[in-house]
Amino acid sequence: MPTIAASARSLPRKLAVGDFGGTVNGKKIELVIADDQNKPDIGVAIALRWVDNEGVDAIVGCSASSIALAVQDIMKNRKKPYMLAGTAGSFFTNDKCSPMTTQWVVDTYAQPKATVKALLTQGIDSWFFLTVDYAFGKAWQADATKFIEAGGGKVAGSVLHPLNSSDLSSFLLTAQASGAKAIALANSGADFANAIKQAQEFGLTRKQLLVPLGLMISQTHGIGLKDLQNVRLTTPFYWDMTPESRAFAKRYAEATNGQLLNEGKAATYSATTHYLKAVAAAGSDDGDAVMRQMKNTQVNDFEMKNVAIRADGQVMRPLYVARIKAPAESKYTYDYYEITGTIAPEDAWRPASESACDLLKSQ
């Protein structure tokens, strides 16, 4: 019995299993769900229980990078597929790559790369980082710094703030005093929302540009267009781009009392579906066989067309340049983005020539 485990976002997986008919190769598909509570010890314990005691064949996760790194080691040792649908550390397809891991959404290399390059061409050449003191925040800052310096810009300074900080005033005032043209926000969730709102209160946006290095549409929804209008970003997916994506978003909303289909939820469906297709094609749920099939087959679904999975596990999807609309421009529910450009996969993701992943070097 193929068993898929999930750390969160159960509905997209349930939809994927349902669309597959609930069975693969004549066997029932079982789905189990757990919450790691954003705690490494809990996440590791859950993963060990799943694969060692409960017969789990694959995990689709969106855990924090610190948890995902530990779970990745477990999955590598047990030869079980691990699909990241929200974890953003770029090291998962670089020096920490694993033959059993695939990266489905976006990472701390690709997302800041596009944002930084676009702003440098507009003369935004001095930067200050407000960074969460956590693995993914530091990775974001490190990758973005490389792009800034390579493009002729400079980093005026940086500050680290604790995870889940309600008061960011001292950090923002330090950023303001730096005089940098751009304040890069290398954080997410409540930290990002607090930074945006408090920066508005202190008047930072009158002279400096707030730049999110990683912004998901759920955050845009929570913060609101008033505070985020005209912010530029890059995104791997926007629900309102094609008839197929709109149809799936409508289906998802109907099943969730109107909830928004965000990037991670869409990728969760894609990862689960692609895994099940690989199990069917391989005629087995053996991890090595399934991973070979996944990487030898292009991803095709409502959000991606003819997208390859590279040997390092990177899903080579295009990214999109977007502008957040002003409140008056939004004409219907979740009408938040104007897509202004497309970034080809080869221009978005870390080039194989720059990678420290042995999986690419062995090709």
Side-chain angles (χ1 to χ4, degrees), residues 61-300:
C62 53
S63 302
S65 295
S66 57
I67 301 173
L69 276 172
V71 173
Q72 174 174 263
D73 287 340
I74 294 169
M75 302 302 279
K76 179 181 179 181
N77 291 335
R78 274 70 169 181
K79 295 186 177 181
K80 306 279 189 180
Y82 186 34
M83 292 154 278
L84 299 177
T87 308
S90 64
F91 37 74
F92 288 104
T93 53
N94 191 31
D95 56 310
K96 304 293 185 183
C97 68
S98 164
M100 304 310 296
T101 298
T102 47
Q103 169 64 282
W104 287 80
V105 188
V106 76
D107 67 17
T108 58
Y109 178 98
Q111 203 155 23
K113 178 181 181 180
T115 303
V116 165
K117 285 191 171 185
L119 291 176
L120 285 174
T121 61
Q122 299 173 26
I124 308 300
D125 56 5
S126 61
W127 296 66
F128 187 96
F129 285 91
L130 178 63
T131 303
V132 62
D133 192 3
Y134 210 67
F136 84 88
K138 293 176 182 178
W140 251 332
Q141 178 176 331
D143 285 331
T145 296
K146 294 176 186 176
F147 303 132
I148 293 167
E149 293 177 345
K154 65 177 182 178
V155 175
S158 65
V159 289
L160 290 171
H161 70 79
L163 182 67
N164 299 323
S165 298
S166 59
D167 184 3
L168 295 167
S169 57
S170 63
F171 304 106
L172 288 166
L173 290 173
T174 300
Q176 187 177 41
S178 73
K181 294 178 182 178
I183 300 173
L185 303 177
N187 54 18
S188 64
D191 291 327
F192 176 81
N194 289 334
I196 289 289
K197 292 177 180 178
Q198 291 172 28
Q200 295 284 0
E201 293 171 3
F202 296 144
L204 267 70
T205 55
R206 287 196 290 268
K207 293 184 178 181
Q208 293 167 294
L209 183 66
L210 293 177
V211 181
L213 295 182
L215 178 62
M216 297 296 180
I217 198 168
S218 299
Q219 295 169 279
T220 301
H221 175 71
I223 296 169
L225 300 185
K226 181 177 181 295
D227 288 329
L228 287 172
Q229 58 186 299
N230 295 318
V231 164
R232 267 66 172 180
L233 69 146
T234 54
T235 182
F237 170 76
Y238 179 49
W239 73 270
D240 201 14
M241 288 185 63
T242 69
E244 280 184 279
S245 63
R246 283 189 285 273
F248 189 88
K250 180 181 178 183
R251 180 185 171 201
Y252 181 83
E254 289 172 346
T256 58
N257 294 317
Q259 288 184 21
L260 170 65
L261 179 66
N262 67 18
E263 301 89 341
K265 293 170 183 174
T268 294
Y269 179 93
S270 295
T272 305
T273 299
H274 194 69
Y275 167 78
L276 291 172
K277 288 179 179 178
V279 171
S284 168
D285 56 16
D286 173 76
D288 284 331
V290 171
M291 286 303 302
R292 283 195 298 271
Q293 188 65 41
M294 288 179 70
K295 291 180 179 180
N296 288 334
T297 308
Q298 292 184 328
V299 183
N300 278 286

